[in-house]
Amino acid sequence: MRRLLIVFLSFFTMALTSTELAGEDAARRADLDLLLERLLPSRSPVTGRMNPHDTTWEEWAARTGELPPDFEAMPSNPWLPDPLKMRGTGVPVTTPEQWEEQRAWIRSQIEHWIFGTMPPAPDNLRVAESRERRKNGLLYRDVLLEFGPDHRAKLNLQLIIPPGEGPHPVFLTNHAPNRSFWVNTAVSRGYIACFYQATDPMYGLPDDSDAYIEIYPDYDFSCLGRWAWAGSRAVDYLVTLPEVIPDQIGLTGHSRNGKQALLAAAFDDRIGAVAASSGLTGEAHPWRHTADPFVVESIQLLVGARPYWFQPRLRFFTGREHKLPVDQNMLMALIAPRGQMIYSAFSESSANAFSLEQGYRSVREVYRHFDREENLWLHLRDGEHGTEVGDVENFMDFFDAVFNRKAFPKKETWIFGYDFDEWKTRAGAAADPADYPVRQPGESLANGALTRAGAAEIRERVKSMLGEAPPAFNVPLAETLRPNRPPGRNPLELVFGRPQAGAEWRDRLAAVGMGNTGLSYGPGLSADVFYPVNGDGAPKGDNWPVVIWLHPYAHAQGWSAKDPWNPRRPDFVRDQRPQIDSLVRRGFAVVAFDQIGFGSRAHEARTFYDRYPNWSLMGKMVADTRAVIDAVSAVESFDSSRIFLLGYSLGAKVGLFTTAFENRVEGVVAVSGATSLRLDRPEKGTEGLRHYSHLHGLLPKLGFFLGEEARVPFDYDDLLALSAPARVLVVAPELDRYSPVDDVREMVRQASPAFEEVGAEERLELWTPRDFNRFPRRLQEEVFDHLANAGGLRPD
């Protein structure tokens, strides 16, 4: 009997344990189900492999049964993790021993979450073949390395050795030799060019590292990890050569090869310098600044479109980038104090200058710690993704400077370049939180129905944070719309692929039911207008309601994506931008323009606070949006009684601020932009007021209220209340890491009495989809139908 009782209790205990474990796993399984439901399906690799078994992320998840981490148990850190703060304790790194311990931990986390685990360096590397030939005074050496278990791993190298007495520095790359200007430029500067054949076969040569999957089955290094690890095997060989200066090996790569170059340099201290070019996401873009509001290659996009580049578990952090224990700035920190150049076009379609600059600022502190700031360069150039000879010459200037071969001045190119402390010095004025009363949770300035005096007081408080605008001047406004007359384009807009004059673009747009023309607004600025057309390209009707699109933090290309109306454009790209043609098909005219600091106006933000220290970027954005409304209202083809604002992220914020001051707006849709300034405090793991004051420089004066959030002069409930009786739709995803959904619910609740007072309670709506901070196509279609109903049009 006793034995039966013991057995029963054992089974009972096991059952309880299993139940507890099942409960812990339930949330993680729900997170996985959400990703499988919401994210676009990943694509099978064309030229590479994830592992011996899987071709998509979904297959990997099903085969391994791996679940997302327990996000509730992980700390939320909206800021880039500090490489100089010891993990767990936050104790500053002060000794070499602490730094080595920190580096080891960073490497382990980078491998586990991002690139996969890499084997140790082999101890049996040998030269299996070596052939030499001379051509045009240069010595070409083709080498085959063998290493690993039974010497089954192989790596082909090609060295081009310049004439003259050595030893020489090395220009190391996995760019195929058919990109001749890369190696030619290096050799002409006195470097040995060394190519290692671990690269994408799309460039015309086999990828030697692909076989490492089977040779090293106990390691799950991704394709980028294999390329980087192969680069270190090239270094194994190079440091044995008498022709080589072993501490002057410079590594470089472009695009996907830039990603692997940065990884290789971070994990191999023998690489003296790295010039990582336009690798962007997975290279110099911190993951925390690749979320959808930044309109770059997000985790969803990149790990979905290229599932073999990264460790698959990275995709678990879609929408939860702030939960990553490490970030790319920590990978870059591993290179310090050796040479490192962050190199990209700020205007290329997948770039974001803000993101690149934030990563640079973080890593710069590590170089300052080692007193070697001169070894870290930031070069953000004009143009698109591709490279030219001049770019490689810049790499060589950098290598020469770091290796003390020639004196070249350090490059530090800022595009956005905002800094809160610098702003304080320029402005010379502060807002004193003591001047404002404490607002308790649940207390609104609006406090029910808004009197005219009450509304005026709130607007004055908002204006005090927006700053002092310079005098405005009346500008002539066009009354007629000239069809098929796109605005004049500056060089950046040509890079973006925006519509141009001529039959080709007219026919291209007409094929999806749109025409395009320009609309002048404000002091010498131009917006794009897209309107309905017939099959022959002639305008279809008139008196169109208007949607003004307000873009997110898309620093590189502003309102546009390159050829966004091309139906052959991959879904991963189309999902990041509003489908303008879909709005036009519903009968709207759509107006789109770049805010200051974005797209064609990227350079304007850098000096804005030098010129207007007492204004604000948000104030300027609101002024420009109101100027667009002025221009729209003057055009006879538009129905000025049906003007709608549609904004995502930054654009949602601009839309709500604008509507609070603008009674000509019939309705506004704010997707993932409304939040609470006084409730969004640091303990919630969000950016809080720093989002406005320290990061993006939208409203610098809010920086004086850090720690005094309850005294903030206004909040989003006030902006919503001031918008009545306009139609207001607030979209607040439940999993928005930037804005707790309960805070948004509170803001809407506080603003509701203002709408009820004017008999417009049905005009204030809140949607809370089960999703992250995104504006995907299915949500776009729902929002567009909402706008069509509000504008008296037929939903699509």
Side-chain angles (χ1 to χ4, degrees):
M1 182 70 179
R2 182 179 178 186
R3 183 171 181 178
L4 286 174
L5 180 60
I6 292 173
V7 171
F8 172 76
L9 289 175
S10 297
F11 275 105
F12 182 71
T13 303
M14 290 173 62
L16 283 177
T17 303
S18 299
T19 301
E20 291 171 358
L21 290 175
E24 292 175 4
D25 285 350
R28 298 169 64 195
R29 291 186 184 279
D31 286 338
L32 177 60
D33 290 342
L34 179 68
L35 294 173
L36 292 170
E37 174 194 351
R38 290 293 181 178
L39 302 190
L40 291 169
S42 65
R43 300 194 306 220
S44 298
V46 176
T47 58
R49 290 191 296 160
M50 296 176 64
N51 55 52
H53 314 286
D54 311 311
T55 61
T56 66
W57 182 80
E58 291 79 7
E59 290 178 6
W60 170 84
R63 179 183 61 83
T64 63
E66 185 158 348
L67 297 175
D70 183 357
F71 289 117
E72 289 298 318
M74 301 179 80
S76 298
N77 181 10
W79 316 112
L80 299 187
D82 188 344
L84 294 175
K85 295 289 181 63
M86 296 294 290
R87 67 181 179 96
T89 65
V91 172
V93 172
T94 57
T95 68
E97 292 77 17
Q98 286 178 317
W99 179 234
E100 285 309 309
E101 178 184 342
Q102 180 80 335
R103 293 180 83 211
W105 177 79
I106 292 172
R107 284 174 172 169
S108 69
Q109 296 296 298
I110 291 288
E111 286 184 298
H112 180 75
W113 296 114
I114 301 176
F115 292 108
T117 54
M118 292 181 269
D123 58 5
N124 62 344
L125 184 140
R126 70 187 183 191
V127 176
E129 298 178 18
S130 181
R131 301 182 303 276
E132 294 184 351
R133 66 188 186 278
R134 289 192 176 274
K135 182 179 178 182
N136 299 327
L138 303 175
L139 176 62
Y140 288 75
R141 181 183 299 165
D142 297 316
V143 178
L144 175 63
L145 302 179
E146 293 180 342
F147 48 88
D150 300 322
H151 287 98
R152 289 186 293 130
K154 302 181 187 303
L155 182 65
N156 284 278
L157 309 178
Q158 183 179 82
L159 281 69
I160 307 175
I161 303 173
E165 184 176 354
H168 304 278
V170 176
F171 178 89
L172 179 63
T173 185
N174 66 338
H175 272 297
N178 57 13
R179 296 191 169 193
S180 58
F181 69 85
W182 275 62
V183 294
N184 290 352
T185 304
V187 174
S188 71
R189 297 282 290 264
Y191 283 65
I192 295 174
C194 178
F195 160 73
Y196 56 101
Q197 194 168 289
T199 187
D200 199 316
M202 68 173 287
Y203 297 123
L205 290 172
D207 176 11
D208 291 346
S209 74
D210 182 73
Y212 304 168
I213 295 174
E214 283 76 22
I215 297 170
Y216 293 98
D218 295 332
Y219 299 89
D220 62 356
F221 49 166
S222 64
C223 186
L224 291 174
R226 296 192 296 272
W227 295 347
W229 191 78
S232 287
R233 308 292 68 80
V235 175
D236 290 343
Y237 168 73
L238 289 169
V239 296
T240 68
L241 301 180
E243 301 99 322
V244 166
I245 303 174
D247 61 353
Q248 294 188 11
I249 297 175
L251 174 61
T252 186
H254 178 71
S255 192
R256 65 197 67 186
N257 293 331
K259 303 180 204 296
Q260 68 84 33
L262 187 78
L263 178 61
F267 277 62
D268 193 333
D269 293 348
R270 299 169 301 172
I271 295 170
V274 60
S277 171
S278 291
L280 303 172
T281 301
E283 183 216 68
H285 276 163
W287 297 107
R288 282 165 170 77
H289 299 314
T290 62
D292 275 34
F294 296 100
V295 194
V296 295
E297 291 175 326
S298 63
I299 290 178
Q300 177 207 192
L301 188 156
L302 200 57
V303 186
R306 311 284 186 186
Y308 60 109
W309 282 3
F310 299 94
Q311 218 298 329
R313 61 176 66 96
L314 176 61
R315 206 179 197 215
F316 289 149
F317 291 88
T318 295
R320 293 186 170 103
E321 299 84 1
H322 63 314
K323 294 287 188 176
L324 272 167
V326 290
D327 213 320
Q328 292 300 108
N329 65 307
M330 299 188 91
L331 180 69
M332 293 188 281
L334 296 178
I335 300 169
R338 292 168 290 136
Q340 179 174 182
M341 177 159 68
I342 300 169
Y343 194 91
S344 171
F346 69 86
S347 51
E348 60 180 285
S349 57
S350 297
N352 190 293
F354 167 85
S355 178
L356 294 168
E357 291 175 7
Q358 291 301 310
Y360 173 80
R361 288 181 189 276
S362 172
V363 179
R364 186 176 59 180
E365 294 306 308
V366 182
Y367 278 80
R368 286 175 173 172
H369 173 81
F370 289 106
D371 196 24
R372 296 296 294 276
E373 188 177 346
E374 72 279 3
N375 279 0
L376 178 68
W377 292 24
L378 173 69
H379 189 145
L380 303 181
R381 59 180 174 83
D382 293 328
E384 245 292 352
H385 187 62
T387 57
E388 300 176 350
V389 173
D391 298 304
V392 184
E393 293 283 11
N394 288 332
F395 304 160
M396 305 315 302
D397 291 348
F398 165 69
F399 289 147
D400 276 352
V402 170
F403 295 152
N404 294 315
R405 293 172 55 81
K406 292 181 182 177
F408 288 97
K410 169 181 171 170
K411 293 186 183 296
E412 190 176 64
T413 312
W414 299 96
I415 304 301
F416 181 58
Y418 168 79
D419 180 87
F420 177 72
D421 291 327
E422 291 178 3
W423 169 81
K424 282 199 301 184
T425 300
R426 294 188 190 102
D432 187 352
D435 293 339
Y436 300 91
V438 172
R439 296 169 64 185
Q440 301 298 331
E443 179 184 356
S444 171
L445 272 179
N447 196 23
L450 271 179
T451 64
R452 181 173 300 179
E457 178 188 352
I458 297 174
R459 285 195 176 96
E460 286 305 311
R461 290 190 175 202
V462 177
K463 287 180 180 178
S464 72
M465 294 295 104
L466 291 174
E468 301 172 13
F473 297 91
N474 293 326
V475 296
L477 298 174
E479 297 181 2
T480 59
L481 199 67
R482 297 189 298 173
N484 298 314
R485 298 287 294 271
R489 302 297 187 192
N490 68 25
L492 281 177
E493 292 180 285
L494 299 179
V495 170
F496 304 158
R498 292 181 178 176
Q500 301 177 44
E504 179 183 352
W505 268 102
R506 182 195 63 208
D507 296 343
R508 194 170 172 181
L509 293 173
V512 291
M514 296 194 302
N516 172 251
T517 192
L519 180 69
S520 296
Y521 71 95
L525 299 171
S526 294
D528 276 78
V529 178
F530 298 91
Y531 54 89
V533 298
N534 297 309
D536 60 358
K540 183 179 181 179
D542 58 9
N543 201 38
W544 302 302
V546 177
V547 171
I548 300 174
W549 163 241
L550 302 171
H551 61 70
Y553 291 103
H555 280 273
Q557 299 201 356
W559 67 261
S560 66
K562 196 167 187 178
D563 201 5
W565 28 79
N566 184 346
R568 293 173 297 178
R569 196 78 169 147
D571 281 345
F572 283 104
V573 176
R574 291 172 63 85
D575 206 51
Q576 286 190 313
R577 297 284 185 164
Q579 302 307 297
I580 291 175
D581 55 313
S582 186
L583 274 170
V584 172
R585 280 197 306 272
R586 288 169 167 82
F588 285 104
V590 178
V591 179
F593 68 102
D594 291 333
Q595 298 285 6
I596 181 171
F598 297 85
S600 62
R601 303 173 64 189
H603 291 294
E604 294 180 28
R606 179 75 182 95
T607 55
F608 176 80
Y609 286 115
D610 291 327
R611 296 164 174 164
Y612 305 103
N614 297 310
W615 203 9
S616 70
L617 286 171
M618 178 61 80
K620 172 61 173 169
M621 292 174 186
V622 171
D624 285 347
T625 305
R626 298 186 73 183
V628 170
I629 294 172
D630 290 340
V632 166
S633 300
V635 176
E636 296 172 350
S637 300
F638 300 144
D639 183 350
S640 60
S641 69
R642 293 186 291 169
I643 297 175
F644 299 89
L645 305 182
L646 168 61
Y648 167 49
S649 185
L650 168 65
K653 301 178 192 301
V654 175
L656 292 173
F657 273 88
T658 301
T659 306
F661 287 90
E662 186 56 75
N663 58 18
R664 293 173 295 178
V665 174
E666 170 63 14
V668 58
V669 177
V671 181
S672 297
T675 184
S676 173
L677 302 177
R678 67 179 186 275
L679 299 178
D680 191 6
R681 300 184 180 184
E683 59 267 21
K684 294 187 176 182
T686 55
E687 292 171 351
L689 295 183
R690 286 180 177 271
H691 179 95
Y692 300 84
S693 60
H694 285 64
L695 274 181
H696 299 285
L698 299 172
L699 294 165
K701 288 183 180 179
L702 289 180
F704 296 118
F705 293 85
L706 294 174
E708 297 276 1
E709 286 83 358
R711 295 182 183 272
V712 170
F714 69 95
D715 211 334
Y716 274 85
D717 56 346
D718 303 312
L719 298 179
L720 293 171
L722 290 173
S723 300
R727 298 177 183 271
V728 179
L729 170 60
V730 175
V731 181
E734 289 185 3
L735 301 174
D736 187 346
R737 72 178 179 89
Y738 296 96
S739 181
V741 66
D742 287 340
D743 290 357
V744 182
R745 288 192 178 103
E746 179 63 17
M747 293 297 97
V748 172
R749 188 187 71 80
Q750 293 284 354
S752 295
F755 285 80
E756 294 169 0
E757 177 68 17
V758 295
E761 55 268 27
E762 79 286 351
R763 285 179 162 238
L764 176 61
E765 297 184 56
L766 172 64
W767 293 0
T768 57
R770 181 71 176 168
D771 208 337
F772 311 104
N773 185 310
R774 305 190 304 145
F775 194 26
R777 292 178 68 184
R778 77 170 121 187
L779 177 59
Q780 290 180 30
E781 294 301 324
E782 293 171 4
V783 165
F784 296 167
D785 283 344
H786 168 86
L787 286 168
N789 285 322
L793 300 173
R794 179 179 59 84
D796 196 33

